[in-house]
Amino acid sequence: MNFFAIGVFTSFLIYLIVGNYAGKLVKNAEDYYVVGRQAPTVLIVGTLVASYLSTVAFMGEVGFVYDGYAIPLLILIALNACGYVIGAVFFGRYLRRSKAMTVTEYFGDRFNSPQLRIVAACITIVGIGAYLVAVTQGASLLMSELIGVNYGWSLVIIWVVYTSFTFYSGSRGVIITDTIMFFIFTVMTFIAVPFLIKASGGWPDAFKTMAVFAEKPDSYAWHGLTGPNNYMGTPTDVLVWGIVLGLVWAAVVAVSPWQSSRYLMAKNEHTTIRSSMVASTTIFALYLILMMTIPLINLLNPNIVPSENAFIWLAMNELPTWLGILVVTGIFAAALSSCSTFLSLVGFSVSRDLIQRSEKLRDKISDDKSLMISRIVMLVVGVVTLIITYFQPPAVMWIGYFAATLFAASMGPITFISIFSKRVTAAGAIWGMLAGFIVVAATEAMSTFGGIAFPVYFRPPILGATASILAIYIASALTKVTPEEKAYREKLFIVPPEEKDPQEIRRTMLFPKILIFGGIALFIIAYVLFFWPISQAV
C-alpha cells in the first residue's frame, strides 16, 4: 500500500474515532438533530464551508478551471458567497427562532400544513440525495485511482466510512468531523499553492506564460477558453452562465437545507450572523487562491484526462510526498464532510418529517426509541444511496449543479416570502415548491435527454424560479391566510431577550468590519499576485 493510501486511511480512522465519541454524547433527539442548539461560531463556520466544498469543488470545478474557465467560475463564486450573509440575515436567524428540528419542519409549522411538510421533505430527499450520489461518486473515483481497486469496492469503502459515524452520532458527529475536515483542506490549499507556482516556473513568470499559453488560449480571460476546444459557447453565453449559476448558488447557500440547517444548531442568533460572514470570506478566499493557480497545472501537463483528476495528478506527481499526502487527504476530507452532511439530512427528513412527523406519535415514544428509529432509518437511507450510486454513471460536477438548481427554484422563493410576506398561504407554498421542482426537473431532462438547447437568458433555474413565484402568488390570491399562519409568522419577529445582550451585539458588529477588511485584502492579493502579471503578458 502506498503512502497516499496510508495517509487517507489514517484520516478515516480519526473520523471514525471522533464520530464514535460524539455519538456517545448524544442523549436525546435535540442532540441528534441540532446538537442541543449549542454550537459555537467555529463549528458553524466549519460545517458551512465543509458541507459546501466537496469533490464537486476539488474535482469537478478544478477540472473546469484546468480546462480554461477560471474567471467565469470566480464570477459565479463572487455572487455565490454573498448568499451566506443574505441567508443568515433574512432567513437563518428567523429559522433558529422557530425552534424546528429540520428546515422542512419549519415549513410545515410556518403554514400549519402537514402536506407542505411532506412536499418539502420529498424535495429535500430527492435533491440532497442526488447531491449525495455526486459527492460519493467523486470520492469513490478518487479512492479507485489511489489504491488501484475497482470502482465498486472503492464505493463500499467510502460509504462504510461516512455512514458508520453519521448514523450513530447524527448532527453532533457531523459538525465536529466537518470542522476537522475544514481545517485539513484549508491548510492543504494554502500550503500546496506556493509549491504549484514554483513548479510551474515561479511568480510572476508562471502566470505570464499561462496567460499566453497556446494550447489553451484565453484561460485567464473573463470569458475563459477560446478556440476549437471551447465547450461553453460565446463569451456572452459564458458570462450569463456565470451570473445565472452564481445567483442560483447564492440561493442555495442561503436557503438549502444542507446550509441553512446549520443555523438551527447555532448557540444564538449572533453566532448565525458571525459564522455567515466568516464563511463568505473563507469560501471566496479559498476559491480565489486555488482557482487562479489551478490553470498552471497545464504548464506541467496539458493532457490530463479526465480533467477532474488535475489536482490529484499534481499531488501524486509534482508535489513533495508529504504535501501530496496532505492534498489527497484534504480532497477526501472535503468529500466525506459533504457525504456525511447530506446523508444526515436525507435521513432526518425520512425519519422526522415522514415517519415521525406526527406530534401524537412522538409523544408516545421515548427519546431512546426515537433515537433508535432515527439511526435505523439513517442506515437504511445509506444502503439505498449505496445501491443508487453504484448503478448511476459518474457525473460529479453536473449532478451537483442539477441538485442545486432544484433547491434554488423550488425552495428559494418561498423561503424568503414565508418570512416577509403577510399574504402567502399554505396553498401558495405547496404549489410554489411543486412548480419550481417540476419545471426544473422537466427542462433539465429536456436539455439532457431531448437535446433541447434553452436560450442563455431562459435557462432551467430561471424558468423554475419564475414558475415558483407565479404559483406562489396565484395560489395565495385564491386562498386566505389562516389565524395560525398569521400568529406563527408574527412570533418569528419577536427577538428573544437573550439576543439583546449589549456585549454580544458589540462583538457581532465587529464582523461586518472584518468582512470589509477581508474583501479589500483579497482584492489587493488578487491584483498583485495574479492580475498584474497576467495583464503584463497580455
Side-chain angles (χ1 to χ4, degrees):
M1 183 178 293
N2 58 43
F3 290 117
F4 293 94
I6 293 173
V8 169
F9 279 109
T10 300
S11 70
F12 288 173
L13 181 61
I14 293 172
Y15 304 146
L16 291 173
I17 293 172
V18 172
N20 182 68
Y21 172 75
K24 292 180 179 179
L25 300 177
V26 174
K27 303 300 182 185
N28 52 47
E30 191 171 59
D31 269 350
Y32 192 73
Y33 287 103
V34 291
V35 201
R37 305 188 199 278
Q38 290 298 314
T41 300
V42 64
L43 289 181
I44 299 299
V45 171
T47 191
L48 280 173
V49 177
S51 60
Y52 174 82
L53 291 174
S54 63
T55 49
V56 173
F58 287 103
M59 294 180 69
E61 289 174 337
V62 161
F64 184 67
V65 170
Y66 171 83
D67 285 343
Y69 298 99
I71 304 302
L73 186 66
L74 285 180
I75 292 172
L76 185 159
I77 295 300
L79 294 170
N80 169 14
C82 299
Y84 281 104
V85 180
I86 294 170
V89 173
F90 297 107
F91 178 59
R93 59 192 178 121
Y94 300 103
L95 175 65
R96 191 185 181 283
R97 290 177 195 173
S98 74
K99 301 297 183 182
M101 293 284 199
T102 65
V103 176
T104 47
E105 182 177 335
Y106 157 77
F107 284 117
D109 292 347
R110 163 65 179 86
F111 293 99
N112 192 33
S113 173
Q115 294 81 8
L116 174 60
R117 185 172 178 180
I118 292 173
V119 169
C122 291
I123 291 174
T124 298
I125 292 165
V126 173
I128 293 183
Y131 213 133
L132 176 58
V133 167
V135 294
T136 303
Q137 286 178 342
S140 303
L141 289 170
L142 177 55
M143 173 66 73
S144 179
E145 179 159 328
L146 181 69
I147 63 177
V149 301
N150 65 50
Y151 173 75
W153 281 111
S154 297
L155 174 61
V156 171
I157 293 171
I158 293 296
W159 177 83
V160 167
V161 172
Y162 73 74
T163 301
S164 58
F165 67 80
T166 303
F167 94 94
Y168 176 55
S169 61
S171 288
R172 186 172 291 277
V174 169
I175 198 172
I176 295 173
T177 54
D178 269 4
T179 303
I180 294 173
M181 297 171 189
F182 160 70
F183 282 112
I184 290 175
F185 63 67
T186 300
V187 170
M188 167 269 289
T189 297
F190 285 102
I191 294 178
V193 162
F195 281 87
L196 170 57
I197 295 173
K198 182 179 179 181
S200 305
W203 184 90
D205 294 336
F207 293 100
K208 291 181 178 180
T209 303
M210 189 63 214
V212 293
F213 190 57
E215 293 193 40
K216 293 185 179 177
D218 291 324
S219 287
Y220 280 129
W222 62 268
H223 49 72
L225 185 69
T226 57
N229 294 321
N230 167 35
Y231 57 81
M232 290 295 291
T234 68
T236 301
D237 292 342
V238 179
L239 179 61
V240 172
W241 175 89
I243 293 173
V244 170
L245 265 295
L247 295 174
V248 167
W249 275 98
V252 168
V253 299
V255 305
S256 69
W258 81 80
Q259 294 283 278
S260 60
S261 64
R262 312 295 92 179
Y263 301 132
L264 290 170
M265 308 173 193
K267 184 167 61 175
N268 51 39
E269 290 180 25
H270 295 285
T271 298
T272 294
I273 303 298
R274 296 167 190 167
S275 59
S276 71
M277 295 184 183
V278 176
S280 177
T281 306
T282 302
I283 285 287
F284 191 73
L286 281 168
Y287 268 89
L288 175 66
I289 300 298
L290 183 61
M291 299 307 172
M292 287 302 291
T293 53
I294 284 297
L296 301 181
I297 299 176
N298 283 283
L299 302 180
L300 304 173
N301 183 355
N303 301 307
I304 299 174
V305 179
S307 56
E308 285 86 351
N309 288 339
F311 206 14
I312 302 165
W313 180 89
L314 174 72
M316 301 184 72
N317 293 278
E318 293 291 334
L319 298 181
T321 301
W322 65 269
L323 181 54
I325 294 172
L326 181 61
V327 167
V328 172
T329 303
I331 296 174
F332 271 110
L336 289 176
S337 63
S338 297
C339 288
S340 61
T341 297
F342 298 153
L343 176 60
S344 67
L345 289 173
V346 174
F348 292 167
S349 285
V350 174
S351 176
R352 186 166 181 90
D353 297 317
L354 296 183
I355 296 176
Q356 301 182 67
R357 69 180 184 275
S358 168
E359 294 291 342
K360 292 181 180 179
L361 174 61
R362 290 204 299 271
D363 289 342
K364 292 179 181 178
I365 58 178
S366 64
D367 270 344
D368 287 343
K369 192 169 182 180
S370 176
L371 280 176
M372 181 183 70
I373 293 172
S374 297
R375 284 167 171 159
I376 292 173
V377 168
M378 187 88 70
L379 190 58
V380 172
V381 168
V383 172
V384 172
T385 302
L386 174 65
I387 295 170
I388 293 173
T389 308
Y390 180 80
F391 289 102
Q392 165 63 40
V396 177
M397 180 174 174
W398 300 112
I399 292 179
Y401 275 33
F402 168 69
T405 61
L406 283 180
F407 284 110
S410 61
M411 288 189 174
I414 189 56
T415 295
F416 294 114
I417 292 173
S418 73
I419 300 294
F420 296 102
S421 173
K422 297 179 181 180
R423 299 179 180 178
V424 67
T425 66
I430 291 172
W431 286 108
M433 280 192 187
L434 287 174
F437 180 88
I438 292 170
V439 170
V440 166
T443 50
E444 288 284 4
M446 291 163 63
S447 176
T448 303
F449 303 110
I452 297 176
F454 290 91
V456 290
Y457 298 102
F458 296 100
R459 297 178 70 89
I462 296 177
L463 296 174
T466 302
S468 179
I469 293 171
L470 289 174
I472 289 169
Y473 282 102
I474 292 173
S476 295
L478 298 174
T479 51
K480 292 184 178 181
V481 176
T482 65
E484 292 82 5
E485 291 172 309
K486 181 180 178 181
Y488 193 93
R489 179 184 173 275
E490 290 174 350
K491 184 183 71 173
L492 295 177
F493 285 86
I494 300 174
V495 181
E498 61 269 19
E499 305 293 348
K500 299 178 182 180
D501 183 346
Q503 185 176 353
E504 288 292 315
I505 293 173
R506 283 195 297 270
R507 287 182 61 195
T508 299
M509 292 306 295
L510 290 174
F511 279 75
K513 299 175 183 178
I514 295 173
L515 185 65
I516 294 170
F517 175 78
I520 294 172
L522 287 174
F523 175 81
I524 295 171
I525 291 171
Y527 181 80
V528 173
L529 290 185
F530 308 129
F531 297 116
W532 177 80
I534 291 169
S535 64
Q536 294 294 306
V538 174

